Amino acid sequence: MLSAFSFTILNSGEIPIVIGLIITIFDEWELEEQESWLQDMARNGWYLIRFTFGFAEFVKGEPAEIRYRLEVASKNKQLEDEQIELYEAAGWEHVTSRRFIHILREQRAGETVEIHTDSMIHAGSIKRLKRNTLSRGFTIIFITMLIVFSQGYRFTNPTSLDLLEDYFLSNLILVVIYLFLAVYMIRGMIHISLLIRKLKRNEMFDHEKPYQRKKMMRFLIQQASVLTVMKH
C-alpha cells in the first residue's frame, strides 16, 4: 500500500517506530479522494503524520477502520483554538494541514460526531478554497497571457538567431510551465465548483470515493515525466 519508501527510527524508549513517506499525488482540492485514500492507508496500518515538500508522512501502527475528514479553514490557514476544541469534543483529532485544508482523524472509531450534516453549510465552507483557487488561477493565467503576447511573434516565427539565444529557450520553457500551471488551476476551479454544486443538490460527500484509477494515471504521468527529463 505504501508505494514510496519507509524507514525505522528508535524513540527514547528504544521502541522501533516505522515511518513511511509517499509522494502526494492528490491535489488539495480533491477532498473526497484524499479522505478515501487516508482511510485506506489506516486500514493497512499507516497513519498520517504530516504533509511536507510534496510528500505525505505516515507512521506504522495496527490496521483499523478510522475515518478522516478534511475541513477548509474559514478565515486563515490556521484553525482557531476554539475550533480545535470543538472538534476534539466531537471526537476528532487535528492531525495536520495543507494550506487551507485541515486533516481531522477520529480519535476512537465509532465514537465521533460527523462534522458536516448540512450540505449547504458544508458548501459554504468550501467557498473559501474556491476563492483562493480562483485568485491563484487568474493570476497565473494573466502572467501566461502577458508572456505569450510579448513573445508571441518570436515563438511562432523564430529565426535561426532566436533559436540560438538562451533567453528564447528560457522564455519558451517558462511559457510551457505557466501554461501547465494555468490548466492545472482551471482543473481545480472546475473540480471545486462541481463539489459545491453537488452539496447544493443536498448530496453529501462520498467519503469512500474510488481513487485508484486516478492514482495510477498520475503515477504513470510522473514516471513518464521523469524519463523525459532523464533523456534530455
Side-chain angles (χ1 to χ4, degrees):
M1 185 69 180
L2 196 68
S3 59
F5 58 89
S6 61
F7 54 91
T8 302
I9 61 175
L10 296 175
N11 63 10
S12 57
E14 296 296 316
I15 300 174
I17 300 175
V18 180
I19 302 295
L21 291 177
I22 185 169
I23 296 174
T24 306
I25 61 171
F26 294 105
D27 299 320
E28 61 183 21
W29 49 72
E30 293 178 307
L31 305 178
E32 294 173 302
E33 291 87 348
Q34 290 182 84
E35 289 180 353
S36 180
W37 172 58
L38 291 172
Q39 289 167 172
D40 276 349
M41 293 296 291
R43 292 185 184 106
N44 286 271
W46 292 101
Y47 297 91
L48 182 68
I49 300 175
R50 66 179 64 89
F51 287 103
T52 177
F53 302 112
F55 284 87
E57 184 176 342
F58 294 84
V59 63
K60 183 65 174 174
E62 292 297 323
E65 288 287 338
I66 297 293
R67 292 183 295 171
Y68 280 85
R69 294 293 181 266
L70 273 62
E71 182 75 338
V72 180
S74 58
K75 295 182 180 179
N76 49 54
K77 292 184 181 180
Q78 300 298 321
L79 287 178
E80 302 291 339
D81 291 339
E82 293 80 4
Q83 288 178 286
I84 294 177
E85 290 175 1
L86 288 173
Y87 289 134
E88 290 177 346
W92 296 96
E93 168 193 7
H94 180 257
V95 180
T96 186
S97 61
R98 295 182 67 186
R99 289 173 52 80
F100 297 102
I101 311 300
H102 294 269
I103 293 86
L104 306 171
R105 177 173 57 218
E106 62 179 349
Q107 297 173 346
R108 290 173 296 278
E111 298 182 18
T112 54
V113 178
E114 188 60 68
I115 296 174
H116 289 289
T117 56
D118 189 312
S119 60
M120 297 301 292
I121 294 177
H122 196 183
S125 70
I126 296 177
K127 287 182 179 179
R128 164 73 173 180
L129 180 61
K130 182 180 180 179
R131 288 194 297 269
N132 177 262
T133 306
L134 284 171
S135 175
R136 288 188 291 156
F138 284 132
T139 300
I140 290 173
I141 292 171
F142 178 72
I143 294 174
T144 304
M145 292 175 64
L146 283 179
I147 297 174
V148 171
F149 287 142
S150 64
Q151 302 291 331
Y153 181 79
R154 285 186 173 179
F155 289 153
T156 56
N157 300 279
T159 65
S160 57
L161 183 61
D162 286 332
L163 295 175
L164 295 175
E165 294 289 344
D166 290 338
Y167 76 86
F168 176 81
L169 293 177
S170 298
N171 285 341
L172 183 60
I173 292 172
L174 188 63
V175 167
V176 172
I177 292 173
Y178 270 98
L179 283 173
F180 172 81
L181 290 175
V183 172
Y184 174 77
M185 297 307 298
I186 291 172
R187 282 183 58 251
M189 289 184 278
I190 293 173
H191 188 91
I192 297 171
S193 297
L194 291 175
L195 280 180
I196 293 175
R197 188 179 302 174
K198 173 181 179 177
L199 291 168
K200 287 184 175 181
R201 293 198 304 265
N202 204 30
E203 298 177 25
M204 302 303 293
F205 267 15
D206 181 0
H207 304 296
E208 298 288 348
K209 185 169 184 176
Y211 63 86
Q212 293 293 348
R213 183 176 179 182
K214 181 179 292 186
K215 179 181 176 182
M216 180 58 66
M217 288 296 296
R218 292 190 181 173
F219 175 76
L220 293 175
I221 291 172
Q222 287 175 350
Q223 297 303 308
S225 301
V226 171
L227 289 174
T228 302
V229 171
M230 291 175 64
K231 287 181 179 179
H232 289 79

